[in-house]
Amino acid sequence: MKQNDEIEIILNKVESLETLGEVLVVKTDKDLNRDTSVKQEAQVESREQSNINNMTMNIETKMEINIGKHISDMICLMDGRVIVVEECGKVNLLTSNGKLEKQVPISGDAVSVTQINQNTIAITYPSEKTIKIFNMDNETVTKVITLDKDCYGLAFSNNSLVVGLNRDEICMLDLEGNTLKSIQVQSKSSLPFHLVNCNDRIIYSDYVGNAVYCVDGSGKQIWDYKEDLKGPRGLCTDTYGNMIVADSSSSRIIVISKDGQNSKVLINEEEGLENPRCICLKHNESSGYICELFGRYLAKFNLSSG
């Protein structure tokens, strides 16, 4: 191997260099027009949630509960148990198999219930114009929120309570009872029994007007659904934001797409469903319960998206 002498000469010259040149930076101001608007079209989720035609529901079992009174509300607790509220009556705690565990020891005539955390629920008492916050572990009322109007439907989301106060008003409160916002809504029903708060949207049923409405936090209507409904009552949402409605007078369960544009009948009277008043999904699951209007049975169902 023979080394080229030119390489050694080049290396010697490089070592003797003190500078390789100059770097000149020129700075100029330029206006940038950036698009900061939020696009209305959802991305992957929209394709999944909009395809409600693939959604199916089947009744796994019907469990007699024989409460024997009109039911106004029902929720699935995080631990799998179920709370069924008699209309202006008692609050019943049931096992996941529909067995009466006990009546929650709170005085007054309850109407609606929601869960705040693992151990805490909140219940409306319209005749007292109060919301009572109840600890399930030590069975005590930890706070009473007093309102200036009768209170009915109740939901909890994003650390705030959403409560229907009368025919045309829904109010948002913090857990101390401070009013965060009050919005005006439309409804032909005298009492807003059923509502949910999902992704900064409030959805409520109007059983007299045969409609389901979706509004934003300012009360602006996003959509309404009035197609072929007969006495819509209880509501719940699936993981994609689609609304599942207990259409009481027609004895059907109907799913309405997240944008309010499409619907599908999931179960009807021919499949053994009668007078569904309330519906709820288990926490982070695709199964849940339907409660009959007169408190005779719970129907346990499974929900599939195809």
Side-chain angles (χ1 to χ4, degrees), residues 253-273:
I253 301 298
I254 297 171
V255 59
I256 302 172
S257 61
K258 181 180 179 180
D259 58 8
Q261 299 301 306
N262 302 292
S263 70
K264 179 184 179 181
V265 176
L266 296 176
I267 294 180
N268 56 35
E269 192 172 11
E270 295 177 358
E271 296 167 271
L273 191 68

Side-chain angles (χ1 to χ4, degrees), residues 17-63:
L17 288 176
E18 295 182 357
T19 177
L20 294 175
E22 296 181 354
V23 176
L24 181 63
V25 178
V26 178
K27 182 179 179 181
T28 59
D29 294 329
K30 183 175 179 61
D31 292 331
L32 297 177
N33 294 321
R34 294 182 297 171
D35 183 5
T36 59
S37 62
V38 178
K39 303 300 183 182
Q40 293 299 315
E41 298 85 10
Q43 300 300 316
V44 176
E45 181 181 286
S46 66
R47 292 195 296 271
E48 296 183 59
Q49 64 87 17
S50 62
N51 193 16
I52 61 174
N53 290 327
N54 293 332
M55 190 179 294
T56 59
M57 178 183 285
N58 69 285
I59 301 293
E60 180 182 309
T61 182
K62 290 173 71 174
M63 302 169 287

Side-chain angles (χ1 to χ4, degrees), residues 116 122 133 143 145 156 159-161 173-178 180:
I116 294 174
I133 298 178
K143 189 171 187 61
I145 298 173
F156 178 77
N159 293 316
S160 64
L161 294 164
L173 312 166
D174 64 21
L175 292 177
E176 295 300 314
N178 301 308
L180 303 175

Side-chain angles (χ1 to χ4, degrees), residues 245-292:
V245 184
D247 199 40
S248 186
S249 298
S250 70
S251 293
R252 300 178 303 171
I253 301 298
I254 297 171
V255 59
I256 302 172
S257 61
K258 181 180 179 180
D259 58 8
Q261 299 301 306
N262 302 292
S263 70
K264 179 184 179 181
V265 176
L266 296 176
I267 294 180
N268 56 35
E269 192 172 11
E270 295 177 358
E271 296 167 271
L273 191 68
E274 294 180 77
N275 303 313
R277 175 62 187 261
C278 305
I279 185 167
C280 62
L281 280 166
K282 291 183 178 180
H283 188 62
N284 293 330
E285 293 188 30
S286 57
S287 61
Y289 301 92
I290 301 165
C291 188
E292 190 260 351

Side-chain angles (χ1 to χ4, degrees), residues 180-204:
L180 303 175
K181 191 180 296 184
S182 180
I183 62 175
Q184 298 299 305
V185 296
Q186 61 174 313
S187 177
K188 293 182 179 179
S189 303
S190 58
L191 307 174
F193 269 117
H194 300 284
L195 53 84
V196 296
N197 187 17
C198 178
N199 297 326
D200 298 322
R201 295 180 173 189
I202 299 171
I203 303 98
Y204 63 97

Side-chain angles (χ1 to χ4, degrees), residues 231-245:
R233 299 274 191 167
L235 307 166
C236 67
T237 59
D238 69 2
T239 55
Y240 303 113
N242 301 309
M243 293 305 309
I244 304 172
V245 184

